[in-house]
Amino acid sequence: MEGLETIPPWSDFVKFCLRVIHEDPENIDRDFEASSLYENMRQKHTQSVRTVAAELEYQHQQLLVPYDNTQRKDRLRGAVLVAILIEADKYPDEPEDYAVFIEYLHNVERHMPTRRKALREAQEAQEAQEAQEAQEAQEAQEAHEASG
């Protein structure tokens, strides 16, 4: 009987069914789109675990029926880079709590030299892009002031 405490109550299922039956098609389409986006999200090489977890959290909030703690962990596990999961398998006692699981994967990622390098390079590229955009905006402002 282990794990039954995580099963949602029957009333939640009934509410879900009634919502699906009575919701207007636009909401159903919106939920389908949100669910599809949520299920297909993957960590990019330039993203940290925390960043992809934050994106998943945002998309999770768009769902009509939220995932439980275990389902959210499974979804995060499916979104994280395989190299991080392989490294995480080396450590025993995976946390049960979703928020703690995010930090667990973040700590695993932090101790991977290849991930530190990739994230540092991504940060440097982002900073260079922002500096370039700021420079262009400054030049445009100066040109506008000179012509006016």
Side-chain angles (χ1 to χ4, degrees):
M1 293 295 201
E2 220 173 290
L4 289 180
E5 66 277 356
T6 63
I7 295 175
W10 181 256
S11 60
D12 286 357
F13 179 68
V14 171
K15 287 178 193 174
F16 166 76
C17 289
L18 290 173
R19 201 170 34 240
V20 168
I21 292 168
H22 295 292
E23 286 286 335
D24 61 69
E26 287 182 19
N27 281 342
I28 293 171
D29 288 345
R30 193 172 23 248
D31 186 56
F32 178 76
E33 184 178 326
S35 295
S36 180
L37 286 170
Y38 185 69
E39 285 299 322
N40 290 313
M41 293 178 81
R42 300 289 181 269
Q43 182 181 9
K44 295 172 186 72
H45 184 68
T46 56
Q47 288 180 310
S48 69
V49 166
R50 284 181 174 165
T51 302
V52 76
E55 290 179 4
L56 281 167
E57 179 60 28
Y58 173 80
Q59 199 59 43
H60 181 257
Q61 292 174 6
Q62 310 308 309
L63 302 175
L64 284 177
V65 179
Y67 283 37
D68 67 24
N69 193 50
T70 303
Q71 292 168 321
R72 292 175 73 200
K73 279 179 54 182
D74 289 344
R75 177 78 282 285
L76 178 59
R77 202 178 283 110
V80 169
L81 294 170
V82 173
I84 296 170
L85 296 176
I86 290 169
E87 188 66 22
D89 281 343
K90 296 177 183 177
Y91 301 97
D93 303 325
E94 178 181 292
E96 291 295 321
D97 181 73
Y98 179 70
V100 177
F101 183 62
I102 293 170
E103 291 308 306
Y104 167 77
L105 291 177
H106 167 71
N107 286 329
V108 168
E109 181 180 52
R110 269 189 7 191
H111 289 92
M112 297 173 65
T114 56
R115 292 298 302 144
R116 283 196 313 266
K117 180 181 179 199
L119 294 173
R120 184 177 56 251
E121 288 172 354
Q123 179 66 31
E124 290 168 357
Q126 177 69 27
E127 289 169 359
Q129 177 69 26
E130 289 171 0
Q132 177 67 28
E133 290 171 1
Q135 178 68 28
E136 290 171 1
Q138 179 67 31
E139 290 171 0
Q141 180 67 26
E142 290 172 0
H144 178 71
E145 290 173 358
S147 67

